[in-house]
Amino acid sequence: MTSRPLTVAMDLLGRRWALRIVWELKGGPLRAIELQRRCDQMSLSVLYQRLRDLTDAGLVTQGDDGRYELTRWGSSLGEALDPIDAWSRRWARTAAARA
């Protein structure tokens, strides 16, 4: 394992669907089937693997009701993504204007 926390975080978040799951959970707890619907019908096997990855990393937890939600660390990651989301929206508008 690398000693660079950013590299470790980018490895985790660069896995297919990981960021999307975090993003969708920003709005509150969801059951797996609700997450699957919000994530363009990703396969359940990938969904459950990413949920395990994010749970092992301390970003997601599963409540007694079966719904998944962000932990304190997961919520702070969600907040950290807001400026990137704002940037990407501006970039997309500029790219669309060039097309």
Side-chain angles (χ1 to χ4, degrees):
M1 180 178 287
T2 180
S3 62
R4 304 228 184 252
L6 178 62
T7 303
V8 174
M10 290 289 98
D11 177 58
L12 172 66
L13 299 174
R15 295 174 191 167
R16 188 172 182 172
W17 297 107
L19 271 177
R20 178 71 180 267
I21 291 168
V22 171
W23 190 257
E24 295 300 335
L25 290 175
K26 279 181 58 169
L30 295 169
R31 294 189 185 286
I33 196 70
E34 295 168 318
L35 265 172
Q36 184 190 30
R37 269 190 241 120
R38 290 185 184 202
C39 294
D40 303 320
Q41 300 294 324
M42 81 170 98
S43 74
L44 281 175
S45 62
V46 172
L47 172 62
Y48 284 118
Q49 181 59 55
R50 289 304 159 261
L51 286 169
R52 276 191 298 277
D53 295 343
L54 294 166
T55 298
D56 290 347
L59 301 176
V60 170
T61 189
Q62 186 177 19
D64 293 336
D65 60 0
R67 296 187 306 167
Y68 292 90
E69 62 185 310
L70 296 177
T71 63
R72 182 176 58 90
W73 280 109
S75 292
S76 69
L77 171 60
E79 292 169 10
L81 294 173
D82 287 338
I84 296 170
D85 178 50
W87 176 87
S88 66
R89 289 174 189 273
R90 289 190 309 272
W91 173 74
R93 283 191 302 271
T94 302
R98 285 192 304 257

